[in-house]
Amino acid sequence: AQSVTQLGSHVSVSEGALVLLRCNYSSSVPPYLFWYVQYPNQGLQLLLKYTTGATLVKGINGFEAEFKKSETSFHLTKPSAHMSDAAEYFCAVTGPAGTALIFGKGTTLSVSS
Amino acid sequence: DAGVIQSPRHEVTEMGQEVTLRCKPISGHDYLFWYRQTMMRGLELLIYFNNNVPIDDSGMPEDRFSAKMPNASFSTLKIQPSEPRDSAVYFCASSPGTSGPNEQFFGPGTRLTVL
């Protein structure tokens, strides 16, 4: 069975600081991993995804994530936070095409000036 | 290109009333998902369809909830009778369901308040 754990329900950073949002997964099959972002009063938007191949995945808005099989992790990073990055971030895992996403509980990112 | 369309965006109703939420997936997508989001429970998958057929409804909370997909361009989620604990944001998402990983595209959600 697949599951996702996001460490830290709330992360606060200063503008310009490194953003690190943690995600660990459990999967009985080779995982496909996703990060979604949700801005206030909006639906979820895909940031990036890992399927196969290169373990460092680049997404929109300067975010990237690295798939580490040995650590069962898929942490999300951004070198320099911007005020507009304040949102809720969800890590998700799925199996082969056609199966549902399993979401983590989400991490709220706050960015202060 | 219109994304996933949900209506209404906001719904306020009284306990005991029937509520119907609507979703139009992205054209050509084979999969449709209904999720519920609350502060307490986060994002929960309620049910999903493949080619208009329900595949997994194990997340539907109870018999008061029902979902249909009469055709490839329309789905409904109905709650009858509604209860205050049903208050949440309900999201619809669709996926192309190709052989690759199933990226899901989310609608803006329906915020339901049951008084």
Side-chain angles (χ1 to χ4, degrees):
Chain A
Q2 282 107 309
S3 66
V4 169
T5 302
Q6 291 184 241
L7 301 175
S9 60
H10 199 131
V11 171
S12 297
V13 300
S14 299
E15 194 171 20
L18 171 71
V19 175
L20 172 60
L21 306 183
R22 300 177 187 273
C23 172
N24 287 90
Y25 69 92
S26 173
S27 179
S28 56
V29 298
Y32 298 145
L33 294 157
F34 302 79
W35 276 100
Y36 280 83
V37 60
Q38 184 181 28
Y39 298 103
N41 299 314
Q42 295 186 27
L44 279 70
Q45 177 185 358
L46 182 69
L47 268 181
L48 50 79
K49 63 184 178 185
Y50 167 79
T51 57
T52 58
T55 56
L56 182 62
V57 181
K58 295 186 184 298
I60 61 172
N61 302 336
F63 284 93
E64 61 183 35
E66 186 170 12
F67 170 63
K68 291 187 177 181
K69 184 178 179 180
S70 61
E71 299 178 8
T72 61
S73 69
F74 191 57
H75 301 330
L76 182 70
T77 60
K78 182 173 181 177
S80 177
H82 192 272
M83 297 292 287
S84 60
D85 295 327
E88 189 158 17
Y89 292 80
F90 293 91
C91 183
V93 65
T94 190
T99 60
L101 287 174
I102 298 168
F103 286 90
K105 294 293 187 184
T107 298
T108 300
L109 175 66
S110 299
V111 182
S112 58
S113 56
Chain B
D1 181 21
V4 175
I5 299 172
Q6 291 187 248
S7 64
R9 291 294 309 277
H10 301 272
E11 177 81 27
V12 180
T13 190
E14 293 189 347
M15 183 174 63
Q17 296 299 304
E18 177 180 297
V19 175
T20 299
L21 311 181
R22 296 172 176 79
C23 175
K24 177 178 170 56
I26 294 172
S27 177
H29 282 194
D30 295 332
Y31 287 84
L32 184 139
F33 305 81
W34 282 101
Y35 292 90
R36 178 172 68 175
Q37 185 179 37
T38 61
M39 290 292 291
M40 291 295 294
R41 302 173 69 92
L43 265 169
E44 303 173 277
L45 176 68
L46 300 177
I47 184 171
Y48 77 94
F49 297 82
N50 177 212
N51 292 323
N52 314 336
V53 176
I55 302 301
D56 183 355
D57 65 354
S58 60
M60 296 286 263
E62 47 198 278
D63 293 345
R64 298 185 297 107
F65 285 69
S66 62
K68 294 182 179 179
M69 192 165 185
N71 57 62
S73 59
F74 183 65
S75 177
T76 60
L77 178 67
K78 186 175 294 186
I79 308 173
Q80 166 64 19
S82 58
E83 297 182 3
R85 59 195 169 114
D86 302 330
S87 297
V89 180
Y90 291 80
F91 289 102
C92 176
S94 69
S95 170
T98 59
S99 58
N102 58 334
E103 174 184 346
Q104 295 182 14
F105 296 81
F106 282 75
T110 295
R111 183 174 297 275
L112 173 65
T113 303
V114 183
L115 303 174

